[in-house]
Amino acid sequence: MPLVNDSTAPRIALVGATGVVGTTLIQLIRERGFRYRSIDLVASARSAGREVSVEGRSYRVHDLDGFDFSAVDVAFFSAGGSVSTTWVPKAVAQGALVIDNTSAFRMDPDTPLVVPQVNAHELEKRPVSGVIANPNCSTIPLVRLLRAVEDRWGIRQAVVSTYQAASGAGYSGIDELREGARAVLADADSPGVSKTFSPSLAFDVIPSIDRKLDDGFTFEEQKMLQESRKILGLPHLDITATCVRVPVVNSHSEAAWIECDGPVDRDELIRALAALDDVTVHDREELGAFPTPRTAGDPNRVHVGRVRISRTNPRAFWLWAVADNVRIGAALNALQIAEALVERGVL
């Protein structure tokens, strides 16, 4: 059992334990056999007092307000940016190393922004800030693919369109999509439900995620640019994105056009992508094959298809990627960061 009586195993806390990322993290701890000495489940006052099962043991959820992190080695924060902004510095001051799943600290120069398959070297020592940031759910699968492309061909430019699922907004997003779909199916003239998404996401797409910036881009699109540059160590990487919310319950999709410094051979590109850890290339055997959020398969892998070299520019190619945004885009990446820290003796 991962709960062990071993002083070398970390004491962990999950902040946002009752949310979609927190509950998935609990599942992954069991699935991956992550060893811990103790576990505290923490959430807002609304969820405090609930009983949650972790590997057959019942744990009472603590109220974040007043929770003491002094007996915690690593705290996973998945409760939103405002919560992290307020509470992460307090957790660090009390001695916890924080793995934060919000945008609050991603661009802080003293905080590493980590995708273990790409820049695990950032985990060789405890960061000055006491925080390791988990990237955006659309950035993570993209940079895992771009790393191999940059290493072999160099990247001149990347243009990305994302198709992001309702689960990116948590349980409230999932519930609203389902409720809105039922309303529109019952009455085609119904405006649906639009508390989390505006307009209603039911049977529609919304080409705007997060707040709009002065230049017309959204914060979600800016995050993909800034985070990709930081993770890949390419401060001048030319990448631009359009982020779209689509009526899919879970798993984000991306269409990426990538122009390289030199001509790209498709067979070599397929081999390079297929050789990456936990990446499945669907059109390796069948040209044009592709994954979808419902059909991709293993939710712990990045799924790639429709790899096409441009007919008019041999340096450029298109690909289609699908990844479980709650797992790969959040909880799994966070747990893999913790696993790497344990392996290196930092935890």
Side-chain angles (χ1 to χ4, degrees):
M1 296 288 287
L3 176 62
V4 295
N5 183 18
D6 181 349
S7 61
T8 65
R11 300 165 297 177
I12 66 177
L14 310 184
V15 180
T18 59
V20 66
V21 175
T23 55
T24 302
L25 189 52
I26 291 171
Q27 294 170 9
L28 285 166
I29 287 171
R30 174 183 56 79
E31 291 175 14
R32 297 177 68 85
F34 183 76
R35 299 170 73 254
Y36 55 90
R37 189 171 11 143
S38 66
I39 184 169
D40 286 302
L41 307 184
V42 187
S44 67
R46 185 175 61 253
S47 297
R50 286 175 52 181
E51 294 287 334
V52 174
S53 176
V54 181
E55 301 192 304
R57 295 181 176 88
S58 183
Y59 293 84
R60 184 175 295 275
V61 177
H62 300 284
D63 189 343
L64 176 58
D65 189 9
F67 180 75
D68 183 3
F69 288 91
S70 62
V72 172
D73 296 310
V74 59
F76 298 87
F77 271 73
S78 304
S82 61
V83 171
S84 287
T85 299
T86 300
W87 286 97
V88 164
K90 298 177 181 179
V92 171
Q94 291 174 357
L97 175 63
V98 170
I99 299 174
D100 185 56
N101 192 49
T102 76
S103 61
F105 303 97
R106 289 173 185 162
M107 301 316 297
D108 173 16
D110 291 327
T111 298
L113 182 64
V114 178
V115 177
Q117 296 87 348
V118 178
N119 61 339
H121 62 274
E122 297 280 2
L123 302 175
E124 296 296 336
K125 60 182 181 180
R126 190 183 183 95
V128 172
S129 66
V131 182
I132 299 166
N134 213 34
N136 178 268
C137 49
S138 291
T139 302
I140 291 172
L142 178 66
V143 296
R144 285 176 58 174
L145 303 177
L146 291 185
R147 177 77 277 167
V149 177
E150 167 64 21
D151 289 347
R152 172 59 183 87
W153 292 280
I155 299 172
R156 286 191 177 185
Q157 184 184 42
V159 179
V160 185
S161 293
T162 71
Y163 306 84
Q164 298 181 217
S167 59
Y171 282 128
S172 63
I174 296 172
D175 292 343
E176 181 171 301
L177 173 59
R178 288 173 170 160
E179 183 182 352
R182 286 192 292 267
V184 175
L185 285 171
D187 178 3
D189 294 326
S190 170
V193 182
S194 57
K195 296 177 182 177
T196 300
F197 306 116
S198 183
S200 173
L201 188 58
F203 301 100
D204 208 350
V205 297
I206 305 172
S208 181
I209 298 177
D210 214 315
R211 68 180 187 273
K212 188 168 69 175
L213 306 178
D214 291 341
D215 60 2
F217 283 86
T218 67
F219 187 44
E220 185 82 356
E221 292 157 353
Q222 177 177 285
K223 284 185 281 188
M224 291 193 70
L225 166 65
Q226 294 178 328
E227 294 176 20
S228 297
R229 286 176 167 179
K230 183 173 180 178
I231 296 163
L232 293 167
L234 300 172
H236 303 294
L237 177 65
D238 186 2
I239 180 170
T240 187
T242 297
C243 294
V244 183
R245 189 74 71 185
V246 296
V248 168
V249 171
N250 194 55
S251 289
H252 292 352
S253 304
E254 303 181 17
W257 183 88
I258 302 162
E259 183 178 15
C260 300
D261 292 333
V264 178
D265 176 77
R266 184 182 185 277
D267 289 341
E268 185 179 1
L269 174 60
I270 293 291
R271 288 195 298 272
L273 295 174
L276 295 172
D277 290 340
D278 299 321
V279 171
T280 297
V281 180
H282 288 246
D283 61 353
R284 186 176 187 179
E285 307 296 337
E286 179 187 346
L287 184 65
F290 56 85
T292 73
R294 291 188 63 191
T295 67
D298 189 342
N300 298 323
R301 300 179 69 86
V302 177
H303 297 268
V304 179
R306 299 216 62 208
V307 181
R308 294 151 284 155
I309 307 299
S310 171
R311 291 178 176 176
T312 58
N313 182 356
R315 298 190 307 271
F317 64 91
W318 280 98
L319 62 76
W320 171 259
V322 173
D324 186 313
N325 54 291
V326 177
R327 286 185 170 235
I328 286 176
L332 178 58
N333 195 79
L335 188 58
Q336 288 174 325
I337 289 172
E339 291 170 343
L341 291 169
V342 170
E343 182 181 337
R344 287 160 173 75
V346 178
L347 271 183

